[in-house]
PDB file of all heavy atoms in Angstrom:
ATOM      1  N   PHE B 407     100.473 137.464 112.420  1.00 40.00           N
ATOM      2  CA  PHE B 407      99.459 137.077 111.467  1.00 40.00           C
ATOM      3  C   PHE B 407      98.616 135.966 112.056  1.00 40.00           C
ATOM      4  O   PHE B 407      99.143 135.075 112.707  1.00 40.00           O
ATOM      5  CB  PHE B 407     100.118 136.561 110.152  1.00 40.00           C
ATOM      6  CG  PHE B 407     100.915 137.609 109.438  1.00 40.00           C
ATOM      7  CD1 PHE B 407     102.255 137.748 109.688  1.00 40.00           C
ATOM      8  CD2 PHE B 407     100.312 138.454 108.495  1.00 40.00           C
ATOM      9  CE1 PHE B 407     102.996 138.728 109.020  1.00 40.00           C
ATOM     10  CE2 PHE B 407     101.059 139.396 107.838  1.00 40.00           C
ATOM     11  CZ  PHE B 407     102.400 139.511 108.107  1.00 40.00           C
ATOM     12  N   TYR B 475     109.625 138.511 113.172  1.00 29.00           N
ATOM     13  CA  TYR B 475     110.302 139.557 113.879  1.00 29.00           C
ATOM     14  C   TYR B 475     111.447 140.104 112.999  1.00 29.00           C
ATOM     15  O   TYR B 475     112.311 139.375 112.584  1.00 29.00           O
ATOM     16  CB  TYR B 475     110.866 139.059 115.187  1.00 29.00           C
ATOM     17  CG  TYR B 475     109.789 138.575 116.123  1.00 29.00           C
ATOM     18  CD1 TYR B 475     109.344 137.277 116.084  1.00 29.00           C
ATOM     19  CD2 TYR B 475     109.174 139.490 116.984  1.00 29.00           C
ATOM     20  CE1 TYR B 475     108.350 136.875 116.924  1.00 29.00           C
ATOM     21  CE2 TYR B 475     108.175 139.046 117.818  1.00 29.00           C
ATOM     22  CZ  TYR B 475     107.740 137.755 117.760  1.00 29.00           C
ATOM     23  OH  TYR B 475     106.741 137.326 118.573  1.00 29.00           O
ATOM     24  N   GLY B 486      98.686 144.998 113.340  1.00 38.00           N
ATOM     25  CA  GLY B 486      97.716 143.988 113.671  1.00 38.00           C
ATOM     26  C   GLY B 486      97.438 142.946 112.632  1.00 38.00           C
ATOM     27  O   GLY B 486      98.217 142.658 111.823  1.00 38.00           O
ATOM     28  N   SER B 495      99.359 133.560  97.037  1.00 60.00           N
ATOM     29  CA  SER B 495      99.708 132.169  97.038  1.00 60.00           C
ATOM     30  C   SER B 495      98.623 131.335  97.749  1.00 60.00           C
ATOM     31  O   SER B 495      98.828 130.826  98.845  1.00 60.00           O
ATOM     32  CB  SER B 495     101.074 131.919  97.725  1.00 60.00           C
ATOM     33  OG  SER B 495     102.092 132.552  97.050  1.00 60.00           O
ATOM     34  N   ASN B 500      94.848 125.753  91.588  1.00 94.00           N
ATOM     35  CA  ASN B 500      94.088 125.125  90.521  1.00 94.00           C
ATOM     36  C   ASN B 500      93.603 123.750  90.983  1.00 94.00           C
ATOM     37  O   ASN B 500      93.909 123.333  92.088  1.00 94.00           O
ATOM     38  CB  ASN B 500      94.958 125.055  89.224  1.00 94.00           C
ATOM     39  CG  ASN B 500      96.288 124.347  89.530  1.00 94.00           C
ATOM     40  OD1 ASN B 500      96.343 123.271  90.118  1.00 94.00           O
ATOM     41  ND2 ASN B 500      97.336 125.014  89.103  1.00 94.00           N
ATOM     42  N   ALA B 619     120.342  96.349  73.155  1.00 98.00           N
ATOM     43  CA  ALA B 619     121.602  95.779  73.713  1.00 98.00           C
ATOM     44  C   ALA B 619     121.333  94.412  74.322  1.00 98.00           C
ATOM     45  O   ALA B 619     122.181  93.522  74.208  1.00 98.00           O
ATOM     46  CB  ALA B 619     122.175  96.776  74.757  1.00 98.00           C
ATOM     47  N   THR B 631     116.949  84.855  79.045  1.00 97.00           N
ATOM     48  CA  THR B 631     117.340  83.846  80.014  1.00 97.00           C
ATOM     49  C   THR B 631     117.726  84.507  81.341  1.00 97.00           C
ATOM     50  O   THR B 631     118.269  85.651  81.352  1.00 97.00           O
ATOM     51  CB  THR B 631     118.549  83.030  79.512  1.00 97.00           C
ATOM     52  OG1 THR B 631     119.666  83.923  79.283  1.00 97.00           O
ATOM     53  CG2 THR B 631     118.196  82.343  78.191  1.00 97.00           C
ATOM     54  N   GLU B 701     127.423  87.764  96.762  1.00 97.00           N
ATOM     55  CA  GLU B 701     126.791  86.442  96.853  1.00 97.00           C
ATOM     56  C   GLU B 701     125.332  86.441  96.423  1.00 97.00           C
ATOM     57  O   GLU B 701     124.850  85.466  95.797  1.00 97.00           O
ATOM     58  CB  GLU B 701     126.866  85.948  98.297  1.00 97.00           C
ATOM     59  CG  GLU B 701     128.291  85.755  98.765  1.00 97.00           C
ATOM     60  CD  GLU B 701     128.443  85.380 100.242  1.00 97.00           C
ATOM     61  OE1 GLU B 701     127.638  85.877 101.043  1.00 97.00           O
ATOM     62  OE2 GLU B 701     129.334  84.599 100.591  1.00 97.00           O
TER      63      GLU B 701
END
Side-chain angles (χ1 to χ4, degrees):
F407 297 91
Y475 297 89
S495 298
N500 52 51
T631 61
E701 297 173 326

